[in-house]
Amino acid sequence: GNGARTTVEECDDGGRIVGDGCSANCTVEAGFVCSDRIGQTSTCAVPVDPTLYFDSTSFGPFREGSNGTATVSRMGNNDTAVSVKYLVASSTAYVTLAENDVCASAGDFNDTSGVLYFAEGVTEATIQVPLLRDNVWEQTLSETERIALVLYDAVDANIDETRYISYIYIQDVDHVNKTIGWCLTEEPTILPSPMPTTPGPTAVPTTPVPSPVPTSLPTVPPTPAPSSAPSPVPTS
């Protein structure tokens, strides 16, 4: 490293010496704790007090239907009994059926959040998470899904602030050749749409034309024939 820690480095002490707490690839070595300020040189030391941490930033992938496991280690004084709570939470894998998928048969895992106990002299403990077979092909975006693990509320011990979060990765084992979208199903049968029928023209009602009412012809009075007057008889 260059002596200035970045967000993608667990530590950066500016050197490449193995065994000083910060490895050559800028990860914290087992048994050490390192300061974690961004932009500053990391200082590493072996803690005196019991200190708990995840061995790795990720575990797996583990196949669906098996158990995912993650290891929590103790460094520093191990002459006392200590404990720490841990949270198992959804990340890109989901604990409930409702969160997972509309056609899934189950969630991705069982929530086993609880407490890890370290007896005197014990330096490792294991978190186990049952991984469920959900019958949904989920490799459209990624080949694996992950579960988040978080350490908190240690009793009689400290938690390494640079290594208190880790992930369990799940390997999907469902079949791709039967999927539509996210669902495990058969190919749908597509039926042709019926051709629409064009209705015939609506008959326009005709208004009946009223028959003409016959009108009576006026009676023409007969013209009187002229009367012929007798011709006068001449007188002698």
Side-chain angles (χ1 to χ4, degrees):
N2 61 1
R5 180 177 176 263
T6 65
T7 55
V8 297
E9 297 172 321
E10 292 183 5
C11 59
D12 191 336
D13 61 358
R16 296 185 178 275
I17 301 173
V18 177
D20 63 354
C22 187
S23 70
N25 59 355
C26 296
T27 58
V28 178
E29 295 174 326
F32 288 84
V33 291
C34 299
S35 60
D36 61 352
R37 289 184 177 274
I38 300 298
Q40 295 187 9
T41 301
S42 301
T43 56
C44 302
V46 176
V48 176
D49 296 328
T51 304
L52 306 176
Y53 65 99
F54 281 111
D55 268 356
S56 176
T57 56
S58 66
F59 298 88
F62 303 95
R63 290 170 60 87
E64 285 181 331
S66 67
N67 285 328
T69 60
T71 303
V72 178
S73 294
R74 168 165 68 168
M75 55 185 165
N77 183 3
N78 63 2
D79 293 336
T80 59
V82 300
S83 66
V84 64
K85 293 180 181 179
Y86 65 93
L87 175 68
V88 179
S90 298
S91 178
T92 58
Y94 298 103
V95 66
T96 67
L97 173 60
E99 290 177 304
N100 190 12
D101 195 277
V102 293
C103 56
S105 60
D108 290 312
F109 63 95
N110 286 337
D111 182 359
T112 55
S113 299
V115 182
L116 285 179
Y117 295 95
F118 293 76
E120 293 180 13
V122 174
T123 58
E124 286 188 354
T126 301
I127 297 172
Q128 290 198 9
V129 182
L131 310 178
L132 306 180
R133 181 78 184 273
D134 60 5
N135 294 313
V136 178
W137 186 75
E138 295 164 315
Q139 298 183 39
T140 299
L141 301 178
S142 174
E143 292 185 1
T144 58
E145 297 178 294
R146 70 182 189 180
I147 304 166
L149 306 174
V150 182
L151 301 178
Y152 68 104
D153 282 357
V155 175
D156 295 327
N158 298 323
I159 296 175
D160 185 348
E161 294 182 357
T162 64
R163 291 179 288 179
Y164 72 99
I165 297 176
S166 188
Y167 298 92
I168 288 177
Y169 281 82
I170 306 172
Q171 177 65 56
D172 185 23
V173 297
D174 293 307
H175 303 291
V176 63
N177 59 342
K178 291 186 178 180
T179 60
I180 303 299
W182 295 100
C183 299
L184 182 64
T185 182
E186 298 293 340
E187 294 281 350
T189 302
I190 300 175
L191 298 176
S193 301
M195 294 294 293
T197 56
T198 305
T202 304
V204 179
T206 58
T207 305
V209 179
S211 300
V213 178
T215 56
S216 55
L217 295 175
T219 302
V220 179
T223 303
S227 57
S228 50
S231 298
V233 176
T235 59
S236 27

